[in-house]
């Protein structure tokens, strides 16, 4: 077939570009997973546990505040990933950041109820992103 060679070259270039995009996404997934494991999971746990045990002193309140602030920073990082411009990713992250800021405010006035409420809202934001991205990202590994 006359068109064979050029067509083959085009296919080759196309598949190289695809492999390249896939590699970038894999790198991002690895980075996202690290961000989850090293920042988001421990930071959110510190916020979530107050539903079981309210902070007892300034030091414990401060710990909750620092971790809520870490979630806000982590949200900024999530928005800078290649997924950052996608609507659900963006919306879930912004929701997580808004709720984490509510936790920060609650720690300033040591309001356990408000902090727990905002913590529940954070959890909903985690779920909102995972419902779309957790499996998708796992399947590109
Ligand atoms: C904007 C999207 C997004 C938000 C918000 C988000 N996550 Fe994730 N999370 C992911 C993605 C994507 C993965 C899968 C990473 C991978 O393994 O490729 C993940 C993975 C995880 C995992 C599994 C990690 C592992 O070891 O496999 C846990 C646990 C987790 N997230 C907890 C949380 C918690 C808790 C929150 C909220 C405080 C949260 N995530 C918020 C996107 C998000």
């Amino acid at each position: 077939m006359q068109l064979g060679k050029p067509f083959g070259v085009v296919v080759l270039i196309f598949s190289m570009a695809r492999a390249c995009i896939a590699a970038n996404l894999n790198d991002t997934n690895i980075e996202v997973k690290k961000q989850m494991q090293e920042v988001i999971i421990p930071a959110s746990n510190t916020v979530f546990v107050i539903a079981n045990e309210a902070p007892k002193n300034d030091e414990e309140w401060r710990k909750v505040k620092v971790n809520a602030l870490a979630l806000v920073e982590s949200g900024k990082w999530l928005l800078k990933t290649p997924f950052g411009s996608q609507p659900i990713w963006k919306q879930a992250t912004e929701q997580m950041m808004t709720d984490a800021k509510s936790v920060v405010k609650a720690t300033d006035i040591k309001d356990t109820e408000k902090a727990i409420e905002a913590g529940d809202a954070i959890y909903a934001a985690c779920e909102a992103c995972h419902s779309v991205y957790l499996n998708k990202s796992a399947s590109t590994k």
Side-chain angles (χ1 to χ4, degrees):
M1 173 159 105
Q2 290 290 348
L3 289 174
K5 202 173 169 205
F7 182 71
V9 170
V10 168
V11 168
L12 180 67
I13 290 172
F14 184 67
S15 59
M16 278 165 66
R18 269 174 55 125
C20 215
I21 290 165
N24 275 336
L25 275 181
N26 270 340
D27 283 353
T28 304
N29 291 339
I30 291 165
E31 291 299 314
V32 169
K33 188 170 176 164
K34 261 173 55 185
Q35 185 75 196
M36 293 294 145
Q37 290 173 340
E38 288 168 13
V39 184
I40 295 196
I41 296 167
S44 62
N45 273 337
T46 307
V47 172
F48 296 153
V49 293
I50 62 177
N52 297 326
E53 204 178 346
K56 290 186 288 290
N57 52 43
D58 286 358
E59 179 54 26
E60 287 184 14
W61 276 111
R62 200 189 62 84
K63 202 172 134 198
V64 175
K65 180 176 183 168
V66 166
N67 283 280
L69 286 169
L71 286 179
V72 177
E73 289 308 310
S74 197
K76 290 182 195 164
W77 183 89
L78 285 170
L79 291 176
K80 284 191 204 131
T81 67
F83 299 117
S85 55
Q86 296 177 12
I88 292 181
W89 185 280
K90 188 164 181 277
Q91 208 181 342
T93 304
E94 284 170 352
Q95 193 58 51
M96 183 183 83
M97 292 167 78
T98 303
D99 299 328
K101 284 176 193 164
S102 300
V103 172
V104 171
K105 277 197 195 128
T107 65
D108 285 337
I109 53 171
K110 298 192 171 65
D111 186 330
T112 308
E113 283 309 309
K114 277 219 171 72
I116 292 173
E117 222 173 86
D120 287 348
I122 289 176
Y123 192 73
C126 315
E127 296 276 274
C129 187
H130 291 164
S131 68
V132 175
Y133 287 96
L134 196 54
N135 295 328
K136 193 183 191 177
S137 124
S139 70
T140 58
K141 252 180 239 151

